[in-house]
Amino acid sequence: MARQVSVFLQNQPGHLEKVTEVLQRKLINIRAMTLSGSAYGWGILNLLLNDPDEGHKALVEAGYSAVLRPIIVVRMPDRPGGLHDLLAYLSKGEINIKNAYATLVPKEGAAILVIDAENIELVEKLVKVAGLTQLSDEEIYHL
Amino acid sequence: MSLYWQKDLETMPRAELEAYQLKKLKASMVQAARSPFYGKVFREKNINPENLHSIQDITSLPLTTKEDLRGNFPYGFLTVPKNEIVRMHCTSGTTGNPTMIFYNRHDLESWSNLVARCLFAIGAREDDVFQNICGYGLFTGGLGFQDGAEKLGATTIPSAAGNSVRQIMLMRTLGTTVIHTIPSYLTRLYEVFVEQGLDPRRDTKLRLFAIGSEPHTEEQRRRIEEMFGVRAFNSFGMTEMNGPGVAFECECQYGMHVWEDAYIAEILDPDTLEPVPDGEMGELVMTTIDREAMPIIRYRTRDLTRFLPGECPCGRTHRRLDRFAGRTDDMFIIKGCNVFPMQIEKILMRFPEVSTDYQIVLDTVQGVDEMQIKVEFNRDFFTGEREVLETLHHKLRSAVRDEVLVTPKVQIVEPGALPRAEGKAVRVRDLREAKKGA
């Protein structure tokens, strides 16, 4: 199962930079990321890395609250309505998405959606039913 | 094996102990009258030790305040010629004159004996290795515990404050069994153990902690004990009363026996200055009755505590002081509510999701005073889900509001984000505009 690294961060100048510095030192590449703040002075950073285990280890060693969370990454056709088609299937399955982010993969002419949801196994089935493909771990980490 | 360092004194029946105190108090007053300060006060108020008929009559004597000590700096309380003094210590004196305390040979002997008695009471013996992790120098915790542990006969390591890596090296090399330090340092030390891949339960011989000089809650003590697998005993002392060794927990860990053969402790209502019944909270007032160079009579400590009613199963007859609820002067007022930092700490300790370090910041934001509470998030509870953090945020906020009636601005910060104190942890920072002008 693919994993992302989630990091607890204070919402303050320089804090994100410290994270990227840790990753850079370990030569870890960021494939995609999202940063969401809260009204309370902190936020959560989600990172799709080429080596999630090493990245997680490096961040924990540097003192961060960081965890590995299971995700699923789905390939979508890069055209209007591509995301909508996928979501139509997921909502039929009553999937509640906790967090999601998308990025383009120009060399494939496709877009990908990273999904963090409670019932990952069900999501995998629904993706298949929708006629879409899921990226393998290998593909994700070498986007 | 004896349970007591000085059985006769420690288990003296109350009536006998009070008679002993009265005799010692009268002698102390005669000695005190030789100082410029008490000489004048006693003359003016016509105070004569012969008018005291029971220990309860101590309430007829005038109180001594911190201002009196500062105002008569440095020698106004001295009763002996200067060449008889062998040691001095003083308080940090961040505002105005520091308070200087002078000791002659008798005083040092008496003091170190009390500290040895405390260490014996928690179970330390001469075959222990005692590491004293606190500031040496003017601060009484360094030399005070050094002398006491030496008197006990333990191997004493004067490792002083700071340099956690070296502290751990000393502890492991020499097989330290007993540590004296401040509680907030132990949580810091534990982090360093973990960073080095060590487990204090497995990699040290530690068995006893004496902790003090810094207010802390029962919950914080339990957490420390849990981390290290070591029993931690509460210690109370103050420079004005020699330093450490004034009151100490015994093996029962329920209240600190105040050594009533050397001090008279009273608990007064801070407003009326009348004694409160045992079990009720009030201000601790202390009198030295075994000090020659600088006796102090009825000193207002500003510490809030109470006598624990009833007898202690350990057999000591000296009364027990409860954990300190705060100081009459560290209370702050915000939005009209009186708040003691200890109240906040108690609440935070109920939440395992936050670490033992915290900071209260009082500030004026757009003309309105606010109380900000910064707590470190315990990384074991991080799941990557914001709901968990948001729920914690709301729970902390309402728990504090329910207790102190002020809604705080809670700030959950990254682990290690709060400054680590090598000395007393600074828990409250007051940046309010009203304060800036003052």
Side-chain angles (χ1 to χ4, degrees):
Chain A
M1 179 147 320
R3 283 161 309 163
Q4 67 176 10
V5 178
S6 298
V7 190
F8 172 75
L9 276 187
Q10 274 168 261
N11 195 352
Q12 272 180 5
H15 282 230
L16 180 57
E17 186 219 326
K18 292 244 168 63
V19 170
T20 51
E21 192 189 334
V22 170
L23 297 175
Q24 178 213 34
R25 231 184 279 133
K26 297 271 176 180
L27 301 175
I28 289 164
N29 209 349
I30 302 173
R31 315 309 318 174
M33 61 161 270
T34 71
L35 178 59
S36 61
S38 72
Y40 312 121
W42 48 261
I44 292 177
L45 171 67
N46 291 306
L47 295 164
L48 193 63
L49 304 174
N50 65 339
D51 189 341
D53 287 317
E54 272 302 306
H56 173 251
K57 198 172 139 222
L59 288 168
V60 168
E61 274 170 10
Y64 287 96
S65 290
V67 288
L68 287 164
R69 285 186 67 78
I71 46 159
I72 171 168
V73 181
V74 183
R75 190 178 279 114
M76 300 178 292
D78 183 14
R79 59 160 170 78
L83 174 60
H84 177 73
D85 294 346
L86 170 62
L87 292 181
Y89 279 95
L90 295 187
S91 61
K92 262 183 224 151
E94 303 225 319
I95 296 293
N96 191 18
I97 297 176
K98 283 179 175 268
N99 187 36
Y101 45 104
T103 188
L104 279 172
V105 187
K107 66 180 178 194
E108 295 202 16
I112 57 159
L113 181 68
V114 180
I115 302 169
D116 176 358
E118 247 153 41
N119 196 342
I120 293 274
E121 278 157 28
L122 183 56
V123 177
E124 284 179 344
K125 278 184 198 151
L126 291 165
V127 166
K128 245 180 232 162
V129 175
L132 296 170
T133 55
Q134 185 188 332
L135 275 70
S136 71
D137 292 11
E138 198 58 18
E139 285 175 303
I140 296 165
Y141 304 146
H142 296 98
L143 278 174
Chain B
M1 190 169 74
S2 172
L3 287 171
Y4 312 103
W5 178 250
Q6 291 168 294
K7 186 166 193 286
D8 294 351
L9 286 168
E10 292 173 54
T11 62
M12 191 182 276
R14 286 299 308 173
E16 217 178 296
L17 183 57
E18 289 186 5
Y20 180 85
Q21 284 187 306
L22 181 62
K23 196 179 88 191
K24 299 269 287 184
L25 173 62
K26 286 182 178 181
S28 276
M29 288 173 67
V30 172
Q31 180 74 7
R34 298 189 180 122
S35 72
F37 176 79
Y38 285 119
K40 184 162 172 278
V41 170
F42 288 1
R43 260 195 318 278
E44 280 172 6
K45 305 204 168 173
N46 206 11
I47 284 164
N48 184 342
E50 293 315 310
N51 296 335
L52 301 181
H53 303 294
S54 79
I55 199 65
Q56 284 72 29
D57 291 341
I58 192 171
T59 54
S60 65
L61 302 178
L63 292 157
T64 304
T65 62
K66 181 131 204 129
E67 291 67 46
D68 292 329
L69 290 174
R70 283 189 180 146
N72 293 274
F73 174 87
Y75 294 121
F77 281 76
L78 200 63
T79 64
V80 297
K82 283 187 200 127
N83 64 7
E84 206 185 286
I85 301 169
V86 292
R87 172 91 68 81
M88 68 74 70
H89 280 289
C90 70
T91 60
S92 47
T94 41
T95 52
N97 288 335
T99 299
M100 285 189 184
I101 301 294
F102 300 99
Y103 310 71
N104 70 4
R105 279 193 199 288
H106 165 87
D107 300 334
L108 284 187
E109 183 63 29
S110 164
W111 178 24
S112 57
N113 178 63
L114 292 174
V115 176
R117 188 194 286 177
C118 296
L119 292 171
F120 198 90
I122 67 171
R125 295 295 181 266
E126 61 182 5
D127 50 2
D128 273 302
V129 178
F130 177 87
Q131 189 163 337
N132 193 19
I133 311 181
C134 73
Y136 275 65
L138 294 171
F139 173 56
T140 53
L143 290 172
F145 268 98
Q146 179 75 29
D147 291 351
E150 285 177 8
K151 180 151 286 178
L152 176 72
T155 304
T156 309
I157 310 168
S159 62
N163 197 341
S164 305
V165 172
R166 191 179 58 189
Q167 299 284 0
I168 292 173
M169 182 277 288
L170 286 167
M171 203 167 296
R172 298 185 71 216
T173 307
L174 302 170
T176 301
T177 51
V178 186
I179 284 178
H180 162 251
T181 193
I182 54 175
S184 61
Y185 182 69
L186 286 170
T187 50
R188 166 73 193 131
L189 191 66
Y190 184 77
E191 287 173 8
V192 180
F193 266 105
V194 173
E195 278 165 23
Q196 299 203 326
L198 297 170
D199 175 359
R201 286 169 182 263
R202 186 190 63 212
D203 301 315
T204 71
K205 293 184 174 158
L206 293 172
R207 62 182 199 93
L208 299 170
F209 288 153
I211 52 175
S213 309
E214 187 179 74
H216 61 283
T217 55
E218 186 60 30
E219 291 80 358
Q220 193 176 357
R221 181 238 295 267
R222 295 297 168 208
R223 266 195 202 190
I224 288 169
E225 291 188 324
E226 189 57 33
M227 278 178 196
F228 287 88
V230 170
R231 290 187 83 197
F233 296 86
N234 209 351
S235 149
F236 168 66
M238 58 194 312
T239 308
E240 294 84 346
M241 294 291 125
N242 289 336
V246 177
F248 227 84
E249 281 184 331
C250 62
E251 298 214 52
C252 302
Q253 283 186 318
Y254 185 65
M256 299 175 285
H257 292 279
V258 52
W259 301 125
E260 294 185 274
D261 57 319
Y263 303 97
I264 296 171
E266 301 169 75
I267 308 281
L268 305 184
D269 179 319
D271 296 323
T272 65
L273 301 176
E274 291 298 320
V276 300
D278 280 9
E280 269 181 40
M281 295 292 288
E283 180 176 336
L284 178 67
V285 169
M286 297 289 294
T287 299
T288 64
I289 51 173
D290 194 33
R291 199 157 71 179
E292 291 178 355
M294 197 169 163
I296 297 181
I297 290 165
R298 301 196 82 209
Y299 181 65
R300 292 191 63 176
T301 66
R302 309 280 170 186
D303 284 312
L304 290 172
T305 183
R306 61 183 187 131
F307 284 123
L308 291 171
E311 286 167 15
C312 185
C314 78
R316 291 179 182 83
T317 51
H318 300 230
R319 283 178 297 175
R320 290 161 299 164
L321 297 176
D322 196 0
R323 198 167 274 287
F324 288 71
R327 289 174 56 78
T328 56
D329 54 5
D330 77 0
M331 183 193 81
F332 58 86
I333 300 176
I334 181 135
K335 293 183 173 166
C337 295
N338 296 350
V339 181
F340 289 99
M342 289 296 275
Q343 285 176 287
I344 309 275
E345 177 169 333
K346 261 195 153 129
I347 297 163
L348 298 179
M349 292 302 136
R350 295 208 303 259
F351 291 85
E353 300 95 323
V354 299
S355 81
T356 47
D357 284 293
Y358 67 95
Q359 202 172 50
I360 301 167
V361 181
L362 308 173
D363 204 354
T364 310
V365 178
Q366 292 172 334
V368 180
D369 284 353
E370 68 172 30
M371 171 168 68
Q372 205 181 87
I373 300 177
K374 293 185 178 185
V375 285
E376 280 184 15
F377 185 46
N378 180 345
R379 75 186 73 176
D380 297 344
F381 288 85
F382 184 59
T383 61
E385 293 159 298
R386 43 189 311 145
E387 296 88 334
V388 173
L389 282 153
E390 279 168 6
T391 307
L392 174 63
H393 178 98
H394 294 301
K395 277 191 186 160
L396 285 168
R397 194 171 60 174
S398 40
V400 172
R401 185 194 52 216
D402 292 349
E403 166 75 20
V404 304
L405 309 176
V406 177
T407 306
K409 190 175 163 199
V410 171
Q411 263 214 300
I412 301 175
V413 300
E414 291 160 24
L418 295 176
R420 289 293 182 276
E422 294 285 10
K424 278 188 196 187
V426 179
R427 299 302 195 189
V428 183
R429 289 177 63 215
D430 198 341
L431 310 171
R432 286 177 290 185
E433 276 159 19
K435 279 268 171 173
K436 286 173 199 158

